[in-house]
């Protein structure tokens, strides 16, 4: 659908701005009026990571007058494979500050506003309020629902993107003109069902593919050009190099943007989405050990089976001594390989998958099963500090 421009145009462009944005100005559909609207626009990018990197860089280059950056994290070496707004010298720095410096190098004419606190239900409405448009570059369901709900309650459009391995998705959610994120995904997936990029990986350049779509949609919404992805979900398959659009209809029964909304304020999104299932939390309550405790068991020569429930590609990167590999998805069909007469200790990367498999084993009668809190990441901190981390 064609929509009116989201923002009014600025009064004028300076000679320097005219030189800088000349390739926009000679596009009839953008021209002087569209560039003035970009100059007057205030856009907030939630996250300065994989999707936030290309989004911030191209929003800055396009001349969006005010760019807000929300990110409380610091740059890690593993980020550099895809988060191209950061460099080697930025490792250990605030991502928001690193992104700001890169943005200013790209375009010193724009205003950059930093929000270095963790985004949550207590501050989202206040942070979002001054901005015209939100670009969601987050990678977890709790923050996605938070961004969506805050935007709907504030009446703001936002551009959403998602990436995983070789697949990406993008859409524009604007409850005033179409569906919201809850219309597409009424409930989050069960805890542990959908691995994050940190667990499943992502092709680095996929961030640029989806991030550039997000910026394209932001420019269209801000200037009123073209047909934005309101009511459509764009799905990209990098391996097949295919794009397809799926229609998304507004759900009249949506608890947030439907006819009779029941959600009128922000909620506890960590609790709503959960990181592990209730069943896994119960199982782990008295059957969890630390990486240091696991090392002590090994040093004492305790008799137990150590099971790695990660994927084979992760096993090739790093593994714990004495472990056997049985991926989480294979475990239900391989329970017969596990001993009943001694403890089974499971670990994964961070402890989430092993907690879920612990619940499975407990239900199957393995009363002495244990899992390692923090997984192999904790092992690299507590025990073997030279172990590779990923």
């Amino acid at each position: 659908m064609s929509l009116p421009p989201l923002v009014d145009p600025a009064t004028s462009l300076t000679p320097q701005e005219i030189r800088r944005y000349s390739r926009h100005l000679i596009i009839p559909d953008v021209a002087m009026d569209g560039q003035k609207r970009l100059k007057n626009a205030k856009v907030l990018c939630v996250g300065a990571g994989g999707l936030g990197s290309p989004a911030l860089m191209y929003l800055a280059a396009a001349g969006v007058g005010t760019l807000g950056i929300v990110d409380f994290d610091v740059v890690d070496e593993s980020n550099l494979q895809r988060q191209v707004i950061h460099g080697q010298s930025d490792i250990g720095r605030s991502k928001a500050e690193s992104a700001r410096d890169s943005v200013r190098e790209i375009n010193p004419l724009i205003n950059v506003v930093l929000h270095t606190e963790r985004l949550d239900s207590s501050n989202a409405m206040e942070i979002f309020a001054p901005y015209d448009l939100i670009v969601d570059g987050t990678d977890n369901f709790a923050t996605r629902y938070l961004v969506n709900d805050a935007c709907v309650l504030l009446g703001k459009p936002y551009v959403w993107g998602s990436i995983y391995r070789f697949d990406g998705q993008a859409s524009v959610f604007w409850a005033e003109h179409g569906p919201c994120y809850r219309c597409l995904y009424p409930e989050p997936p069960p805890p542990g069902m959908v691995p994050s990029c940190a667990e499943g990986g992502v092709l680095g350049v996929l961030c640029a593919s989806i991030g550039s779509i997000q910026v394209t949609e932001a420019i269209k919404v801000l200037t009123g050009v073209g047909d934005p992805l309101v009511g459509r979900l764009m799905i990209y398959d990098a391996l097949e190099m295919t794009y397809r659009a799926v229609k998304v209809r507004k759900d009249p029964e949506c608890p947030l943007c439907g006819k009779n909304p029941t959600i009128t304020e922000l909620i506890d999104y960590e609790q709503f989405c959960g990181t592990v299932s209730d069943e896994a939390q119960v199982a782990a309550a008295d059957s969890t050990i630390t990486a240091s405790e696991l090392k002590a068991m090994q040093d004492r020569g305790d008799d137990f089976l150590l099971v790695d429930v990660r994927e084979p590609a992760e096993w090739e990167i790093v593994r714990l001594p004495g472990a056997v590999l049985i991926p989480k998805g294979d475990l239900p069909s391989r329970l017969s390989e596990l001993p009943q007469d001694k403890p089974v200790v499971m670990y994964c990367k961070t402890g989430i998958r092993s907690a879920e498999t612990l619940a499975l084993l407990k239900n199957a009668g393995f009363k002495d099963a244990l899992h390692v809190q923090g997984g192999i990441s904790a092992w690299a901190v507590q025990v073997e500090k030279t172990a590779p981390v990923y």
Side-chain angles (χ1 to χ4, degrees), residues 134 242 271 315 336 344 365 387:
I134 312 299
T242 57
Q271 182 179 13
W315 170 266
S336 61
V344 176

Side-chain angles (χ1 to χ4, degrees), residues 126-147:
E126 181 181 359
I127 291 175
F128 286 14
Y131 295 94
D132 302 304
L133 177 74
I134 312 299
V135 175
D136 181 7
T138 60
D139 62 355
N140 66 86
F141 287 100
T143 311
R144 288 171 185 168
Y145 280 98
L146 168 62
V147 171

Side-chain angles (χ1 to χ4, degrees), residues 76 290-292 295 318 320 349-350 372-390:
D76 182 80
T290 66
S292 298
K295 182 63 165 61
V318 60
L320 297 189
K349 180 182 179 181
T350 61
V372 181
Q373 184 180 46
I376 202 165
S377 296
W379 179 274
V381 173
Q382 300 174 21
V383 180
E384 189 181 353
K385 293 180 172 56
T386 57
V389 292
Y390 64 99

Side-chain angles (χ1 to χ4, degrees), residues 56-108:
L56 285 165
M57 294 168 77
Y58 273 104
L59 287 167
V64 170
T66 298
L67 270 182
I69 305 172
V70 183
D71 205 309
F72 71 94
D73 202 2
V74 297
V75 180
D76 182 80
E77 188 171 16
S78 66
N79 300 149
L80 303 183
Q81 164 257 7
R82 65 202 176 281
Q83 300 180 18
V84 294
I85 203 167
H86 312 296
Q88 184 71 23
S89 62
D90 295 314
I91 293 175
R93 292 186 66 201
S94 158
K95 281 188 179 180
E97 294 178 2
S98 170
R100 174 202 59 200
D101 293 348
S102 295
V103 162
R104 285 178 173 170
E105 186 67 23
I106 292 169
N107 189 348

Side-chain angles (χ1 to χ4, degrees), residues 218-299:
I219 291 173
K220 287 159 62 178
V221 171
L222 293 169
T223 62
V225 171
D227 183 9
L229 285 173
V230 176
R232 291 183 294 150
L233 175 68
M234 183 63 69
I235 301 173
Y236 171 56
D237 183 334
L239 288 180
E240 299 292 334
M241 193 49 67
T242 57
Y243 291 86
R244 63 188 180 96
V246 177
K247 287 186 178 181
V248 181
R249 301 190 183 279
K250 192 178 186 72
D251 180 4
E253 304 301 321
C254 176
L256 183 66
C257 72
K259 295 178 181 178
N260 300 298
T262 57
I263 299 174
T264 57
E265 60 184 14
L266 301 183
I267 61 174
D268 185 334
Y269 293 92
E270 294 292 340
Q271 182 179 13
F272 175 63
C273 295
T275 53
V276 296
S277 66
D278 293 340
E279 192 176 29
Q281 291 183 43
V282 171
D286 58 357
S287 300
T288 299
I289 61 173
T290 66
S292 298
E293 289 171 333
L294 171 62
K295 182 63 165 61
M297 291 171 63
Q298 292 176 326
D299 291 344

